[in-house]
Amino acid sequence: MEQKISILQSRGRVCLLPLIAILLSVASCATDNQKIKHISLVGAGASFPAPLYERWLADYNQQHPDVQINYQAIGSSAGVQQLIEGTVDFAASDVGITNEQAGKIKRGVIALPLTAGSIVLAYNLKPVAQQSPQVNVPPVVRLPRQVYVDIFLGKIKNWNHPKIAAANPGVSLPDLPIQVVHRTDGSGTTSVFTQHLSAISPEWKSKIGAGKSIAWQVGVGGKGNEGVTALIQQIPGAIGYVEYIYAKQNKLPVAALENKSGNYITPTPESVAQTLEAVKLPGDNLIAFITDPTGARSYPIVTYSWLLTYHQYPNQVKAQALKNFIDWAVIDGQKSSLELGYIPLSKKVVIQVQSAVKKIAE
C-alpha cells in the first residue's frame, strides 16, 4: 500500500512538472510584455518637416501613450550621419539619401516620403515701410528668376534696384541694402534651393553649384530653418530661404517667384500640388526631385521630405512600433499637413509608402 501511495505521489509530481513549466512560461511572457509596454524611439535630421513631426508625435503619443518618439531637428546632413553611425532609430532628410551614404549602412536603409512643402524666399521690409511714408511696399514682392539668383550671388545689393523695381511697377521700394541670410549647417533645404538655382542659372551652376553645404559668396548664416527665420526677423532688408511653415508661423512675407513659364507664383497648396504632380517617384527608392517645373501655375521650389529607416532592426518591437507610426502618419497624420502649411501626400504616394514600409525588418 505504501508503495502504491509513493507511486501516485511520484506520478503527481511528474504531472505537475508540465503545468509548472506552462505557468513559468506564461509568467515569462507577462514579464516580457511589461518590458515592451513602454517603447522609446529616437530620430534626428531635417528641420524642414520638424513642425509637422512635432504635431504628429504629440498626437500619436496621446493615442498610444506607451510609445514615446523623440525627434531632434539638427539638419539633414547630421541626421543621415547619425543613421550611418547607428545612434538613432530613424532619420529625416529633405534630399533622401545617396547611394554612397546608403552603402555605409550595413543594416540597410529605406527612404519614405512622408510629407512635402515649398521653400520660400522670406524677407523683412516691414520696419522700413512703417517708418518711411514715401515707401510703398507691395503686399508681395515679385522677383524674376535672374533677380533672385543675382541677389544670392551678391550682384543685386539694394531693394530699389531697377530690376526689382521693373518687376513691381506702381510701388516704391526702399533704398535699403539687401542682407542675404543662408544656412550654416548641412541642410537638405539648402540642397533643394541650390539645385533649383543651378537649374535656372548657368552662372550659379558653374560658380557655386548645389549641395547641402556650399561656399556662399554673400550673407550671414543661421542654423536650421528656425535660425534663418530668426535672423530675417531681426535684420531690416534681410532675405533668406526657409521652409514655408517657418515664414507662415512668424508672419514673414514671402516673394512671388517667376517660374519657367514666366508667371509669378506664390506658394499655395494649389501651386505646390501642381509641381508635385510632375514628380514621379521610382519604385526602388522613392526618391526624386524636380528642380525647375514647367507647369504654368507651378511654384518653382518644392520638395518631398523623407523619413529614413533601417531595413533591419535588432529589436523587433522597435521595428514594429516604427512601422505602426509610419502607417498612422501617411493616413491620419496627413490631416495636419494643410493646417501647418505642408502638402498632403497623394493617394498614389501613400500606396507606395505603405508598400515600402512592409519591407522594414523583413
Side-chain angles (χ1 to χ4, degrees):
M1 184 69 175
E2 290 179 359
Q3 187 177 4
K4 287 183 179 179
I5 292 173
S6 176
I7 292 170
L8 287 172
Q9 288 175 338
S10 177
R11 286 177 179 173
R13 284 194 295 270
V14 171
C15 291
L16 281 172
L17 287 176
L19 179 59
I20 292 169
I22 291 170
L23 290 172
L24 287 173
S25 177
V26 170
S28 176
C29 289
T31 302
D32 287 344
N33 283 336
Q34 288 178 354
K35 287 179 181 178
I36 66 173
K37 187 176 181 181
H38 296 286
I39 304 165
S40 294
L41 297 169
V42 177
S47 62
F48 180 108
L52 182 59
Y53 282 10
E54 289 171 9
R55 169 71 68 83
W56 282 354
L57 298 182
D59 291 348
Y60 191 76
N61 183 249
Q62 282 189 340
Q63 298 176 31
H64 305 273
D66 292 332
V67 181
Q68 185 68 45
I69 307 175
N70 295 303
Y71 180 76
Q72 293 185 344
I74 58 175
S76 295
S77 288
V80 171
Q81 185 58 38
Q82 289 203 10
L83 194 75
I84 291 171
E85 294 170 358
T87 56
V88 292
D89 298 307
F90 65 91
S93 169
D94 302 330
V95 289
I97 188 168
T98 66
N99 291 333
E100 181 183 356
Q101 291 169 330
K104 298 177 181 179
I105 302 175
K106 294 181 180 179
R107 292 157 58 186
V109 63
I110 298 173
L112 305 166
L114 289 197
T115 190
S118 54
I119 295 170
V120 301
L121 296 186
Y123 56 89
N124 180 5
L125 295 177
K126 188 174 180 180
V128 180
Q130 291 174 336
Q131 296 167 13
S132 306
Q134 68 274 22
V135 172
N136 177 22
V137 177
V140 177
V141 172
R142 293 159 47 131
L143 294 178
R145 288 152 74 84
Q146 192 56 53
V147 165
Y148 62 83
V149 170
D150 285 347
I151 286 174
F152 282 86
L153 282 172
K155 296 168 73 173
I156 292 181
K157 302 179 180 180
N158 203 286
W159 279 102
N160 66 352
H161 190 281
K163 289 185 178 180
I164 301 179
N168 296 272
V171 301
S172 177
L173 290 165
D175 183 8
L176 180 70
I178 294 173
Q179 177 64 69
V180 168
V181 184
H182 56 75
R183 292 281 287 271
T184 55
D185 52 323
S187 159
T189 304
T190 298
S191 180
V192 173
F193 180 55
T194 55
Q195 284 182 58
H196 171 70
L197 295 183
S198 293
I200 69 174
S201 168
E203 181 181 7
W204 182 278
K205 184 176 182 179
S206 63
K207 287 184 176 180
I208 311 296
K212 288 183 282 189
S213 296
I214 65 166
W216 293 98
Q217 302 296 293
V218 292
V220 296
K223 185 176 181 180
N225 275 285
E226 63 278 12
V228 173
T229 302
L231 286 173
I232 296 171
Q233 288 178 301
Q234 296 165 15
I235 304 171
I239 186 171
Y241 60 96
V242 294
E243 201 280 321
Y244 172 73
I245 182 60
Y246 289 87
K248 178 184 177 182
Q249 287 182 339
N250 292 280
K251 297 181 172 58
L252 284 172
V254 300
L257 303 182
E258 183 187 13
N259 67 12
K260 194 168 187 176
S261 298
N263 298 315
Y264 289 93
I265 308 295
T266 54
T268 64
E270 294 75 20
S271 64
V272 175
Q274 286 270 339
T275 304
L276 289 175
E277 285 179 8
V279 181
K280 305 300 180 186
L281 296 174
D284 56 344
N285 65 8
L286 302 186
I287 298 175
F289 305 95
I290 183 164
T291 56
D292 191 19
T294 58
R297 306 309 304 169
S298 293
Y299 182 75
I301 316 176
V302 173
T303 185
Y304 283 103
S305 186
W306 288 264
L307 189 80
L308 306 174
T309 77
Y310 295 108
H311 188 182
Q312 297 292 335
Y313 284 83
N315 186 329
Q316 294 302 303
V317 177
K318 276 192 173 186
Q320 189 58 53
L322 185 56
K323 290 169 76 170
N324 292 345
F325 167 70
I326 295 169
D327 283 334
W328 177 91
V330 296
I331 301 297
D332 293 342
Q334 297 300 306
K335 299 170 186 176
S336 304
S337 297
L338 282 176
E339 177 189 343
L340 293 179
Y342 296 88
I343 305 302
L345 301 177
S346 68
K347 291 181 180 179
K348 180 180 179 181
V349 174
V350 167
I351 292 171
Q352 287 181 285
V353 173
Q354 288 175 323
S355 177
V357 168
K358 294 176 182 177
K359 299 175 183 178
I360 296 175
E362 277 189 349

